[in-house]
Amino acid sequence: MTKPGARQYDRSAEDLGNIVALEHVNLGIADQGLATVFYMTGLGLTRDPYMMTGIDNMWVNVGRSQFHLPTMAGAQRLRGRVGLVIPDREALLQRLDRVKGMLGDTRFAFAEREDHVAVSCPWGNRILCHEPSARFDGMGLGMAYVEFDVPRGAAGGIAGFYRDVFATGARVEGSAAHVSVGIGQELIFRESDAAPEAYDGHHIQVYVANFSGPYRALVERGLVTEESNQHQYRFQHIADPATGKALFEIEHEVRSLRHPMHARPLVNRNPQQTNRAYVPGRDGWVPEPMIPDMDDPRAGMRRKRFEEAARRVAG
């Protein structure tokens, strides 16, 4: 067994801030048929089979996260990009190519980049699809980040807001604030010279471990916009912690870990499975190993026990 202190590890690399998961992005859509073609047939994601199965809303699973897509007269536009991890770039490109005809009269488009595939949904929402890598902490399929375009000079105050109010990791790199919202998950607020689009009410949802602390801080700042229920509240403005100045508007649905839906198992299908090339037992998506074997200081001890047991049996 390795003695304490004999092997040095960066223990801080295992720390997780108070925001423990980015669960969903909510965007209104105008047509469920087009959304089905794009999210399920094109991206290869999975419509949740248990929740929101009618025509007024659809939930789309991507690993442990979701898109919530309520049907609305006018589709909503996220002022930035959603970063997904989707395995097998070549298979993704083939799927996207196959749906071009069905989405020809929409804003659908896709292009291959060096480290991702840039995709636009039928209503112009931008999604960047990455292959699994060490950058995303072993995530094989999931929602890795949501990136927003914010005004110049806002990144520092936004990072300070999440540190002060939510006690979560936040840093500024270049002109962007990076906020930890789960294992391999971030909110990114990237400064831009472009005039911001009008906010149309779309939102994100996060789970937090210390639920009451951020609530008190938000109440003190007059930022709580909805007292949803015992397990949830909402706020809409990110404010500079030093001046109180509003820096960016995006509704946050904040849930506690006691929320009944926390860690609900999500069904993810294998998009490579087809009726013409069907393989029994391969319907569900199974992640490939992404993280190397962990150190095992007790391997020698177990080997010795096995050898002793083998000698007793042989004798």
Side-chain angles (χ1 to χ4, degrees):
M1 185 186 305
T2 304
K3 295 181 179 179
R7 180 75 181 271
Q8 295 299 312
Y9 298 94
D10 179 8
R11 297 303 188 188
S12 66
E14 300 298 305
D15 292 345
L16 194 65
N18 188 42
I19 303 178
V20 299
L22 169 63
E23 201 269 354
H24 72 250
V25 170
N26 186 294
L27 293 165
I29 60 170
D31 186 291
Q32 278 207 1
L34 294 177
T36 298
V37 172
F38 175 72
Y39 285 97
M40 270 64 81
T41 308
L43 292 181
L45 306 182
T46 306
R47 179 162 186 171
D48 193 292
Y50 304 117
M51 305 292 291
M52 301 300 169
T53 58
I55 60 173
D56 62 325
N57 201 345
M58 61 192 304
W59 289 4
V60 177
N61 299 342
V62 50
R64 298 177 181 176
S65 299
Q66 294 183 317
F67 287 97
H68 288 187
L69 305 170
T71 308
M72 304 171 64
Q76 293 177 324
R77 288 278 304 279
L78 186 135
R79 297 172 297 168
R81 294 146 293 279
V82 179
L84 302 182
V85 173
I86 297 180
D88 198 335
R89 177 190 284 211
E90 189 56 38
L92 170 64
L93 290 168
Q94 291 173 5
R95 291 195 301 269
L96 294 172
D97 189 64
R98 285 197 294 267
V99 301
K100 283 192 303 187
M102 290 181 280
L103 300 176
D105 294 328
T106 73
R107 300 183 66 175
F108 169 73
F110 69 96
E112 194 170 8
R113 307 293 188 218
E114 182 178 351
D115 68 340
H116 67 272
V117 177
V119 187
S120 293
C121 86
W123 300 279
N125 283 299
R126 292 164 289 174
I127 298 174
L128 307 186
C129 302
H130 303 263
E131 288 194 290
S133 71
R135 172 185 173 187
F136 305 113
D137 284 349
M139 181 185 292
L141 172 69
M143 186 175 289
Y145 61 87
V146 182
E147 182 175 285
F148 299 100
D149 296 324
V150 301
R152 288 289 176 190
I158 290 173
F161 172 86
Y162 283 97
R163 285 194 299 265
D164 289 5
V165 173
F166 282 94
T168 199
R171 68 192 189 281
V172 176
E173 290 185 3
S175 60
H178 293 255
V179 180
S180 173
V181 291
I183 299 173
Q185 294 182 297
E186 287 187 320
L187 298 180
I188 303 173
F189 299 86
R190 191 170 301 281
E191 294 180 358
S192 171
D193 292 323
E197 298 180 39
Y199 177 57
D200 59 14
H202 57 276
H203 73 260
I204 60 174
Q205 185 260 307
V206 295
Y207 282 102
V208 298
N210 181 335
F211 187 61
S212 63
Y215 173 77
R216 288 192 297 270
L218 291 167
V219 168
E220 289 172 0
R221 291 164 170 80
L223 295 176
V224 173
T225 55
E226 180 183 285
E227 298 281 4
S228 311
N229 52 54
Q230 177 63 28
H231 309 294
Q232 179 181 301
Y233 52 82
R234 297 189 186 218
F235 74 95
Q236 195 158 307
H237 284 94
I238 300 169
D240 189 303
T243 65
K245 177 186 176 183
L247 298 173
F248 191 68
E249 187 175 11
I250 174 66
E251 184 175 69
H252 292 56
E253 183 179 336
V254 183
R255 293 179 182 174
S256 76
L257 301 191
R258 294 180 183 272
H259 192 289
M261 298 189 74
H262 174 246
R264 182 174 78 93
L266 300 183
V267 175
N268 289 276
R269 67 189 178 91
N270 172 15
Q272 299 296 89
Q273 186 79 292
T274 70
N275 60 330
R276 289 178 294 174
Y278 185 76
V279 181
R282 296 290 298 276
D283 289 352
W285 174 76
V286 178
E288 296 293 330
M290 287 291 301
I291 300 175
D293 289 346
M294 291 185 289
D295 294 335
D296 186 357
R298 298 178 179 240
M301 183 188 304
R302 284 195 294 272
R303 184 170 58 251
K304 183 178 179 181
R305 287 202 304 265
F306 176 81
E307 291 170 353
E308 292 173 349
R311 283 195 296 269
R312 286 196 299 270
V313 171

